[in-house]
Amino acid sequence: MAQPFQLAELPAIEGEVATDDASVAHAAQDWGHLVQARPLAVARPAHAADVASIVAYASQRAIPVAARGAGHSPFGQSQAEGGIVLDMTGLSRVHAGNGNEITMDAGACWRQVLAATLPRGLTPAVLTDYLDLTVGGTLAVGGIGGASHHHGTQTDIVTALEVVTGTGELVRCSPEVESELFDAVRAGLGQCGIVTRATIRLRPAKQRVRRWTLYYDELDAFLEDQRAVVRDGRFDHVQGQPVADSEPGRWRYLLEAATYFSLPDRPDEDELLGELSFDRETAESQDLTYHAFLDRMAEGEERLRAEGDWFRPHPWLNLFLPDDEVESVVADTLAETAGADLGDTGLILLYPVRRDRLATPLLRVPATDLVWLFAILRTGAAYDPSGAWRMIELNTALYERVKVLGGTLYPASTLPMTTKDWRDHFGDDWQTLEVAKHVYDPAGVLTPGQRVFTAR
Ligand SMILES: Cc1cc2nc3c(=O)[nH]c(=O)nc-3n(C[C@H](O)[C@H](O)[C@H](O)COP(=O)(O)OP(=O)(O)OC[C@H]3O[C@@H](n4cnc5c(N)ncnc54)[C@H](O)[C@@H]3O)c2cc1C
């Protein structure tokens, strides 16, 4: 059992340790605003050696410890009740790049990474829709985006990691060196180590983006066109969204497709859109700089912050659906989803990824050639905890339904999970993860908020 610890006993670090109420309360909160677990201290490491000292100390005394990046996980995943939260945002240096790679500290956010690569004419091949997530935070879950049908997840473009294991040892790992640790950490929910530094592969960046928004009235046509464009890879970016129509109970479907280009080249619109069956009357297109396209959430964020919805409960659920079940699951779910189930600013994402592009062992996806990210991003009302918990019950019901059909969880989600649920989730890889946990975190102190080994 964890021994209560005194601040004076904590090893001296070059960074800071805070125990004031504001710091502790901040670390007890996250994007979800649904669960709060207060740590006893928040450490802000200045470098990897600080992370190693704190984790070694915690491990010797069985004190729970969790890394916190941007704190944008929705259900306590970065919290550590009665323990230590490592605020990684001070560990955010982006290092000089080499060739087509770049190395950064894990607390850097993807916006900072991009700011360092674009002047070199390079870009991470896969970025999340939102750039203010940290490298360590997205590598803990996968990191998926509209370019994933080409390049997989962000965990697939990592070439090397520096990790502090649960005993406080600083280890470098890659597919060639300490590969078990490399595979246990990518999409490993922080169970076997805290990433302090990552190296990723880059690609040449184009200067501009043409983005099309194409609307469909029918789900099957929308799915069929997404399948076609993802299979032949004609666009650089593909994402879909079912959108509630003003007529109650009716849904339309929006395909957002984008092509990157540098002048004087221009995309050949006829060839790209040719046979697709979207509604030509309502289709729109827009040319943007590459950076403005990647930062497309910024405007929405500003509005949501101003209106307060950014700070409301977010019982988000992210699932992967098998291709052969996507149509019936989505049709049924939409038919059962009323406005109140999503919230005023909630939204749904639905887009396919080719499974042959996904190579991270702990990222669990269905067995079909195409797998569909089905993200139900709900926003709860202010001052209505029971409404938010009702949304979590909807998440549980949908997950149970999808699981028996071969669907899987993308664990950046709000879903109460038992250890049995996690065992089922990891399937054949559960044993590998369990062994890795014993090897790399024998005291079981790392990342309790994921509840992988601590739930019942
Ligand atoms: C507005 C918004 C948009 C999003 N868009 C996308 C998207 O497009 N694609 C996508 O895939 N996801 C998306 N997400 C989900 C997001 O990627 C995950 O929730 C991610 O884990 C959050 O990163 P973070 O930096 O906030 O990490 P945190 O929430 O701080 O931490 C998440 C988990 O990772 C662990 N962790 C953090 N840092 C480290 C580290 N250095 N080493 C080991 N473990 C660590 C934490 O302990 C915790 O368990 C989005 C979330 C939000 C709120």
Side-chain angles (χ1 to χ4, degrees):
M1 208 174 95
Q3 305 297 312
F5 63 95
Q6 301 292 322
L7 188 58
E9 291 173 14
L10 275 174
I13 60 168
E14 207 175 294
E16 294 166 19
V17 176
T19 51
D20 61 286
D21 195 54
S23 302
V24 166
H26 180 70
Q29 274 290 356
D30 58 28
W31 171 253
H33 296 290
L34 292 157
V35 291
Q36 291 88 36
R38 285 171 73 89
L40 288 184
V42 179
R44 302 196 176 103
H47 40 60
D50 281 355
V51 176
S53 317
I54 297 278
V55 175
Y57 169 86
S59 164
Q60 284 150 18
R61 290 161 185 78
I63 296 166
V65 57
R68 178 186 166 102
H72 278 310
S73 43
F75 205 42
Q77 286 93 338
S78 63
Q79 299 172 12
E81 173 112 60
I84 305 170
V85 166
L86 292 163
D87 171 356
M88 300 296 284
T89 54
L91 244 181
S92 60
R93 250 186 80 204
V94 181
H95 303 265
N98 195 354
N100 69 346
E101 290 193 334
I102 193 157
T103 298
M104 54 271 169
D105 292 348
C109 63
W110 290 99
R111 178 183 304 284
Q112 292 166 279
V113 177
L114 199 58
T117 66
L118 285 185
R120 289 168 53 200
L122 296 168
T123 179
V126 187
L127 284 158
T128 46
D129 296 348
Y130 182 53
L131 296 177
D132 292 307
L133 305 167
T134 65
V135 169
T138 67
L139 295 186
V141 291
I144 190 164
S148 287
H149 67 285
H150 283 294
H151 307 292
T153 54
Q154 291 178 317
T155 46
D156 292 319
I157 59 168
V158 173
T159 57
L161 293 171
E162 184 188 83
V163 174
V164 171
T165 67
T167 55
E169 198 187 344
L170 187 65
V171 184
R172 287 188 180 76
C173 59
S174 68
E176 293 79 34
V177 178
E178 301 280 354
S179 61
E180 288 89 354
L181 181 62
F182 188 69
D183 284 346
V185 168
R186 289 178 306 139
L189 309 180
Q191 294 309 301
C192 295
I194 292 181
V195 177
T196 49
R197 223 173 244 201
T199 302
I200 58 164
R201 230 182 355 254
L202 301 171
R203 286 175 55 80
K206 300 274 173 65
Q207 295 159 349
R208 303 193 65 77
V209 176
R210 181 161 306 166
R211 170 169 66 171
W212 291 273
T213 39
L214 312 173
Y215 292 91
Y216 295 77
D217 286 327
E218 301 304 330
L219 175 61
D220 56 351
F222 166 70
L223 297 178
E224 210 36 61
D225 275 3
Q226 286 210 73
R227 286 189 185 101
V229 301
V230 157
R231 285 206 172 105
D232 66 25
R234 74 182 81 171
F235 295 111
D236 293 303
H237 164 106
V238 173
Q239 288 192 335
Q241 256 188 59
V243 184
D245 197 60
S246 48
E247 186 185 313
R250 188 164 170 261
W251 292 82
R252 294 192 84 203
Y253 307 93
L254 183 163
L255 170 55
E256 179 187 68
T259 291
Y260 309 153
F261 63 102
S262 293
L263 296 170
D265 295 338
R266 286 176 194 278
D268 182 338
E269 186 155 318
D270 290 341
E271 195 178 316
L272 287 165
L273 303 185
E275 84 295 5
L276 302 181
S277 64
F278 59 91
D279 173 6
R280 284 180 156 71
E281 300 269 291
T282 55
E284 291 165 17
S285 78
Q286 186 186 21
D287 280 9
L288 301 158
T289 64
Y290 181 65
H291 186 273
F293 174 72
L294 296 177
D295 200 18
R296 62 197 175 281
M297 258 199 70
E299 208 183 306
E301 175 180 353
E302 204 180 310
R303 200 180 53 246
L304 292 173
R305 280 182 183 275
E307 290 167 0
D309 285 31
W310 190 261
F311 309 102
R312 302 230 157 101
H314 292 108
W316 285 14
L317 179 67
N318 283 284
L319 300 168
F320 286 115
L321 304 181
D323 191 36
D324 50 6
E325 300 289 351
V326 61
E327 188 168 345
S328 63
V329 170
V330 172
D332 291 354
T333 307
L334 296 183
E336 289 159 12
T337 300
D341 300 333
L342 265 187
D344 288 345
T345 51
L347 87 136
I348 301 182
L349 300 177
L350 177 67
Y351 60 88
V353 178
R354 288 173 56 150
R355 196 164 57 97
D356 62 359
R357 306 301 156 105
L358 300 171
T360 301
L362 290 180
L363 184 84
R364 306 300 298 179
V365 291
T368 46
D369 289 350
L370 289 184
V371 301
W372 293 75
L373 180 78
F374 188 31
I376 315 239
L377 308 180
R378 310 178 199 271
T379 305
Y383 314 115
D384 182 17
S386 60
W389 280 92
R390 197 186 66 80
M391 289 176 167
I392 298 177
E393 283 165 16
L394 293 174
N395 289 351
T396 302
L398 181 57
Y399 175 59
E400 292 302 328
R401 161 146 202 243
V402 158
K403 203 166 59 165
V404 293
L405 299 173
T408 59
L409 178 71
Y410 179 51
S413 286
T414 309
L415 195 68
M417 296 275 282
T418 62
T419 296
K420 176 173 181 319
D421 290 331
W422 283 118
R423 195 176 291 138
D424 293 346
H425 169 79
F426 283 109
D428 295 345
D429 285 321
W430 171 256
Q431 216 186 346
T432 314
L433 180 62
E434 212 176 21
V435 169
K437 182 77 176 171
H438 285 302
V439 171
Y440 299 114
D441 180 22
V445 292
L446 290 182
T447 322
Q450 294 280 4
R451 301 180 64 78
V452 176
F453 292 97
T454 51
R456 265 168 277 152

